[in-house]
Amino acid sequence: MFRGVKVLNWNQMKELPSNSLMNSNAINIRELTKVYRGGVRALDRVSIEVKQGEIFGLLGPNGAGKTTLVKILLGALSATSGDGELYGRNIGSAASRERIGFLPENHRFPSYLTGKQLLAVYGGMAGLAGGTISGRSDELLRLVRMEQWQKTKIRKYSKGMMQRIGLAQALLNDPDLIFLDEPTDGVDPVGRHEIRQILLDLKGRGKTIFLNSHLLAEVESVCDRVAVLDKGRLLKSGPARNLIEALPTFRIETSGITEEQQAKIKEAFSHGLYDKNIIRISFHKESDVNALIDFLRGMKIEILAVIPDKKSLEENFIQLIRGAQENQGGTA
Amino acid sequence: MNKFLAILYDTFLEIKSGKIIYLYGALTLVTFVGMALAPQFQIDGRDIIADGMVPQEMMSMAQAYFYKSFLGFYVLLMLFGTAWLLPRYLGKGRVEIALSKPIGRIPLAGMKFIAVFCIMSAILILGTMPIWLILSIRLDIFSMTYFGGLLYAMLDFLLLYGLIFSLGLISRSGAVSLIGYFVLLVASGLLAQRMMIYDFLGDSIWKTILDVTYHILPKYGEFGENYLTILTDWSIKQIYPVWSTILITVVIWGLAAFIFTRRDY
């Protein structure tokens, strides 16, 4: 019945080009919950799918549960409930970590090692042979521009250099899935640009990247899809552009608004921000601003300027988090 | 194999970077130089060794006592030098990277333990053999029982470090591990002498409690008593403390490894 179908073992599958496995997800997690001792709920039924070959960004304020999620995926933490797979292998198993690279946030690489020794140690722990490590190390040290520091002890490295050598460490075993927790933290603007370029190059080679970052601009510039976590709950997930897309916003400058008039405007357009003669307000469609202009003119208010004012990513992100917190407060 | 070699290499570099390595070297060097430069003992102008004024057995016994003390002290220094290795390895920011590698937690702990043991055993050999050599030359007695003592010291370190490693795996603290070791060392010494207070206890429950406690704890005190007999005539004075300490250490190690597999990092 299955004549002619070749069954591949794991090692043979690893030899296949990355795009041979494009139909499956790199990460599947279902209803993942983590409750720490003391009752702190760090993750609350989080389900995420990350497709192979995409850059996936995880956003959220401090304490949102981002690092907890990554640690569970890597087996450093156990989930209270829920399950998931990395490339079809159960999270937490040693086999699930064969195809991954990881750069943690606040890493403390052994200070007694040099950059080159660090790569030798972690390359070996990833199962690479000496010859492979040597070749890959040279290549990666060039990529992250650390060749001249390779024989220097890590204790002498700056924060940015630590991130660079950490990135090289994460890429040493040529992983298919790379977890990066704040990879550009402490890196100068030029270095940040270079790291972003490296991420895009890796994506071009079919690698999957899971990026934890506070830097919204960074997420927007490299991520295909984004999830937003807050207090352990998944608020939103989807394409980066849709998720943090700005609504059309206007700054309307007027003169001589009385308190009575302002009260009437607030009643009609309650979602605006009012500061004396300045109104800042968002609409779902740009043309909807005409309704406000007509309303103001109907009250004989002089309009000095109508200025399109696109909200920043940060403002949208904050609005999303605040909205979630208000909803939570309302339901509590 | 690559994974073990990587952990061995890392452990070697960490031990090499520590200041205590200089203490091992200094201890060996000072002892070696002291023995090399020590004057011959003479009575009425006659060399007490060369002229056979002291019986061979007495010289061998003195040598055995010296090796026992020297090996024991070296093992103690080795414990101080290694107690912090595992807690540092399990430190925040470092353990996550180790755990993200495709190695199970028990193999990871096992490889780290074996790596420390291999390196420290090499240090023990390199640190004590020159002393054996110079003492043998000076006394003209090449005592082969030293090698028995050396192997026994390696077993002693294996068991003691097994305890310290297990306590480090659970507590993630080098200080707690060493305190735990000293508490057990004192407790085992006292329990070995429990017969002395049996008369005062009569048939009370305390006698049973002391007996049970003695049997379930490692017997480091009695374990150390075998050094002298091995170094004098290759014999083991008491075998029960040896095998029971090995067994109990294996159980403690297994329990610690089990806790390690369940722990969040």
Side-chain angles (χ1 to χ4, degrees), chain A residues 123-283:
Chain A
M125 286 177 72
L128 301 181
T132 313
I133 294 171
S134 185
R136 286 283 296 161
S137 295
D138 292 341
E139 187 187 322
L140 287 166
L141 286 165
R142 264 197 307 277
L143 183 73
V144 298
R145 293 199 298 114
M146 286 291 289
E147 312 109 291
Q148 77 263 38
W149 301 102
Q150 60 179 293
K151 289 180 181 167
T152 304
K153 296 270 189 216
I154 285 174
R155 66 171 70 98
K156 293 183 180 168
Y157 283 7
S158 68
K159 182 81 196 290
M161 287 158 80
M162 295 271 244
Q163 290 298 95
R164 287 164 185 271
I165 201 74
L167 185 62
Q169 173 274 139
L171 301 177
L172 199 61
N173 59 335
D174 195 21
D176 291 325
L177 171 60
I178 304 144
F179 289 93
L180 302 173
D181 205 346
E182 305 290 352
T184 57
D185 191 21
V187 181
D188 60 46
V190 176
R192 283 184 183 194
H193 177 75
E194 286 170 357
I195 289 176
R196 280 202 287 270
Q197 197 54 52
I198 290 170
L199 300 187
L200 292 171
D201 288 347
L202 289 167
K203 176 180 149 61
R205 288 168 49 204
K207 307 292 183 188
T208 310
I209 298 167
F210 190 102
L211 181 68
N212 261 7
S213 181
H214 292 102
L215 301 174
L216 299 173
E218 180 173 277
V219 169
E220 190 202 27
S221 63
V222 296
C223 291
D224 300 303
R225 289 195 311 127
V226 173
V228 181
L229 270 183
D230 183 44
K231 293 182 179 167
R233 290 184 308 120
L234 187 66
L235 299 183
K236 259 184 165 185
S237 71
R241 241 171 277 143
N242 295 357
L243 201 68
I244 45 182
E245 186 181 49
L247 292 172
T249 303
F250 296 90
R251 176 186 164 91
I252 299 167
E253 295 178 7
T254 64
S255 74
I257 296 184
T258 63
E259 282 186 12
E260 190 186 343
Q261 285 173 322
Q262 196 175 62
K264 282 183 183 172
I265 303 166
K266 278 183 182 173
E267 196 180 327
F269 298 89
S270 59
H271 59 292
L273 293 171
Y274 298 90
D275 178 20
K276 291 182 182 170
N277 290 315
I278 295 172
I279 303 167
R280 203 158 180 277
I281 192 162
S282 299
F283 296 100

Side-chain angles (χ1 to χ4, degrees), chain A residues 100-116:
Chain A
I100 66 160
F102 174 46
L103 172 64
E105 187 190 16
N106 300 326
H107 48 72
R108 284 189 196 155
F109 293 126
S111 59
Y112 51 85
L113 297 176
T114 64
K116 184 92 173 175

Side-chain angles (χ1 to χ4, degrees), chain B residues 115-145:
Chain B
V116 173
F117 173 69
C118 290
I119 293 163
M120 295 316 288
S121 295
I123 290 173
L124 182 70
I125 293 168
L126 292 173
T128 61
M129 272 194 68
I131 306 306
W132 168 77
L133 195 64
I134 191 70
L135 194 61
S136 301
I137 292 169
R138 290 304 306 268
L139 299 178
D140 199 24
I141 304 170
F142 286 80
S143 170
M144 293 298 133
T145 53

Side-chain angles (χ1 to χ4, degrees), chain A residues 303-315:
Chain A
I303 299 172
L304 301 177
V306 177
I307 306 162
D309 183 16
K310 195 175 178 181
K311 272 205 280 187
S312 69
L313 290 173
E314 275 80 4
E315 284 173 306

Side-chain angles (χ1 to χ4, degrees), chain B residues 176-251:
Chain B
V176 168
S177 308
L178 279 177
I179 290 167
Y181 154 69
F182 279 114
V183 167
L184 279 177
L185 186 69
V186 171
S188 69
L190 291 174
L191 286 166
Q193 306 300 322
R194 69 197 184 287
M195 304 294 184
M196 293 169 72
I197 58 166
Y198 272 2
D199 290 340
F200 302 107
L201 297 173
D203 288 329
S204 71
I205 187 76
W206 288 105
K207 197 173 162 184
T208 313
I209 290 172
L210 283 179
D211 268 344
V212 171
T213 313
Y214 167 76
H215 289 293
I216 62 170
L217 288 183
K219 291 143 195 74
Y220 298 126
E222 291 162 281
F223 187 92
E225 287 173 17
N226 288 320
Y227 270 106
L228 203 58
T229 53
I230 290 172
L231 285 163
T232 45
D233 59 4
W234 291 96
S235 67
I236 289 181
K237 187 181 171 189
Q238 300 181 81
I239 193 70
Y240 174 65
V242 178
W243 70 257
S244 68
T245 303
I246 293 172
L247 190 69
I248 293 161
T249 306
V250 169
V251 171

Side-chain angles (χ1 to χ4, degrees), chain A residues 34 71 74-78 94 97 102 104 106-110 112-113 117 121-122 124-125 127-129 169, chain B residues 2-3 6-7 9-10 13-14 17 89 92-94 96-105 108 263-265:
Chain A
K34 176 68 184 176
K71 282 187 174 184
L74 294 167
L77 286 177
S78 57
R97 300 192 289 272
F102 174 46
N106 300 326
H107 48 72
R108 284 189 196 155
F109 293 126
Y112 51 85
L113 297 176
Q117 286 169 341
V121 168
Y122 287 122
M125 286 177 72
L128 301 181
Q169 173 274 139
Chain B
N2 292 333
K3 294 173 185 175
I7 291 171
Y9 180 52
D10 178 41
L13 291 173
E14 185 164 14
S17 72
Y89 198 69
K92 199 171 165 56
R94 189 169 166 191
E96 295 93 331
I97 305 173
L99 293 176
S100 75
K101 302 300 172 194
I103 311 174
R105 288 194 183 191
L108 181 70
R263 177 157 280 173
D264 283 345
Y265 288 94

